[in-house]
Amino acid sequence: MTLADDAITWFDKNARDLPWRQPDTTAWGVLVSEVMLQQTPVVRVEPAWRSWMTRWPTPADLAADPPSEAIRMWGRLGYPRRAMRLHACAVAMVERHDGQVPSDLDQLLALPGVGTYTGRAVATFAYGQRHPVVDTNVRRVVSRAVEGKPDAGPTTTAADLVAMAELLPDEPARAARASIAFMELGALVCVARSPHCPECPFEAVCAWRRNGSPALEGPSRKPQRYAGTDRQVRGLLLEVLRHATGPVPRQRLDGVWNDDVQRARALAGLVEDGLVEPLGEDVFVLAGDGPRVPPQAL
């Protein structure tokens, strides 16, 4: 038995019943889930994913709406640029792939905002291909079980992809199953703090356990603070714009935060990121809600 075999056996018994893992989930549904799950817990993503897929079951459905609607539907998931990226992906798929999510990895990676992880995740989980899919959870499992280290580095490297690829079975469908199994292990059992080692299928062979479960050297990574940050102010500004029925004057936005400098910086950042459009100097709308320029005027 290999680590992959053990992981698959564990996964078959313990996997969470998530909607984007159902057999009838489309590649678009997988892509939406992967983008939403970046830096957002499953409990918050699941209802948002269901609402999104009900409204926009295909890329063409989303592409037909302005990006402002994607930002509104994103709600309070956080990091709303992800909504813009999904909209840009949908438009690109309509233009390049007849409204379909491509199965070719290079074509996936060429889509707006699709990086190393997301492209491989869609190719693997939606199309059953054999690719190393490496996120924080997977890197932690491999680091502990194979390398005997308490954790991996902060970012995915080429070496991480190689290490994961070496653990995958040769048969593509089984390799895809192993990929999601390693990820689930990292999310539920081999967690960053207080891992549940007695529940882990790797407990008897885990190099980290054999080494005495050494603690991470150096300072631990602290959760990112939210209260009082520009992220919080950006969220408050977007909340006003999402619920507005027309252009919003600056005076109304001024009421969401007392610190004039921080509020102005947050608003400027939203404009720079393309989430908000200024209409003149002191009026704002969500991206895509501004007046349309007729083609003959271009």
Side-chain angles (χ1 to χ4, degrees), residues 1-9 167-169 174 177-178 181-182 202:
M1 294 282 285
T2 66
L3 289 180
D5 292 328
D6 290 339
I8 291 171
T9 299
L167 296 176
L168 295 178
R174 191 160 179 81
R177 192 74 171 170
F182 274 93
F202 301 160

Side-chain angles (χ1 to χ4, degrees), residues 264-284:
R265 182 173 65 241
L267 181 58
L270 291 171
V271 172
E272 183 178 351
D273 289 343
L275 289 160
V276 172
E277 294 178 6
L279 301 182
E281 185 177 348
D282 292 310
V283 180
F284 301 87

Side-chain angles (χ1 to χ4, degrees), residues 101-122:
V101 178
S103 60
D104 178 77
L105 179 58
D106 289 337
Q107 291 179 341
L108 283 166
L109 294 173
L111 293 172
V114 172
T116 297
Y117 167 78
T118 304
R120 284 168 171 76
V122 173

Side-chain angles (χ1 to χ4, degrees), residues 7-263:
I8 291 171
T9 299
W10 174 88
F11 182 79
D12 290 343
K13 296 177 181 178
N14 298 282
R16 289 169 291 181
D17 183 20
L18 301 176
W20 46 85
R21 291 179 179 169
Q22 299 306 308
D24 60 348
T25 301
T26 63
W28 171 240
V30 173
L31 174 58
V32 172
S33 74
E34 290 297 339
V35 173
M36 286 187 170
L37 286 166
Q38 295 167 11
Q39 299 175 295
T40 306
V42 167
V43 68
R44 293 180 59 203
V45 167
E46 186 167 348
W49 182 89
R50 292 183 185 277
S51 297
W52 188 285
M53 294 303 299
T54 297
R55 180 168 180 180
W56 297 307
T58 70
D61 294 318
L62 176 57
D65 277 342
S68 55
E69 290 304 302
I71 300 171
R72 287 192 175 90
M73 182 63 82
W74 198 258
R76 301 187 66 83
L77 278 180
Y79 301 99
R81 278 177 288 183
R82 293 179 292 170
M84 295 286 288
R85 288 199 292 268
L86 268 175
H87 187 274
C89 273
V91 172
M93 285 185 280
V94 169
E95 294 174 346
R96 305 174 194 172
H97 305 292
D98 297 322
Q100 302 299 312
V101 178
S103 60
D104 178 77
L105 179 58
D106 289 337
Q107 291 179 341
L108 283 166
L109 294 173
L111 293 172
V114 172
T116 297
Y117 167 78
T118 304
R120 284 168 171 76
V122 173
T124 299
F125 303 146
Y127 293 112
Q129 298 176 12
R130 186 186 188 278
H131 298 289
V133 183
V134 179
D135 69 351
T136 300
N137 291 320
V138 172
R139 285 190 292 112
R140 185 169 56 252
V141 170
V142 174
S143 177
R144 288 174 176 170
V146 178
E147 300 173 7
K149 301 176 182 178
D151 205 349
T155 58
T156 300
T157 67
D160 293 321
L161 296 174
V162 172
M164 186 60 199
E166 291 176 348
L167 296 176
L168 295 178
D170 292 333
E171 200 274 316
R174 191 160 179 81
R177 192 74 171 170
S179 290
I180 191 63
F182 274 93
M183 193 172 295
E184 192 80 335
L185 266 174
L188 300 183
V189 176
C190 192
V191 293
R193 299 181 181 181
S194 303
H196 313 298
C197 296
E199 302 172 21
C200 181
F202 301 160
E203 183 184 20
V205 297
C206 176
W208 182 60
R209 291 280 286 177
R210 292 203 308 266
N211 289 344
S213 306
L216 183 67
E217 296 181 1
S220 60
R221 292 194 293 271
K222 297 181 180 179
Q224 289 185 339
R225 181 173 61 93
Y226 179 74
T229 64
D230 284 6
R231 277 186 58 218
Q232 182 184 14
V233 183
R234 285 164 61 101
L236 293 170
L237 293 168
L238 281 178
E239 190 71 5
V240 173
L241 290 159
R242 272 199 301 266
H243 291 94
T245 57
V248 176
R250 184 186 295 271
Q251 183 178 9
R252 184 176 169 194
L253 294 175
D254 287 347
V256 307
W257 198 254
N258 291 329
D259 187 326
D260 294 344
V261 174
Q262 187 178 24
R263 187 182 63 249

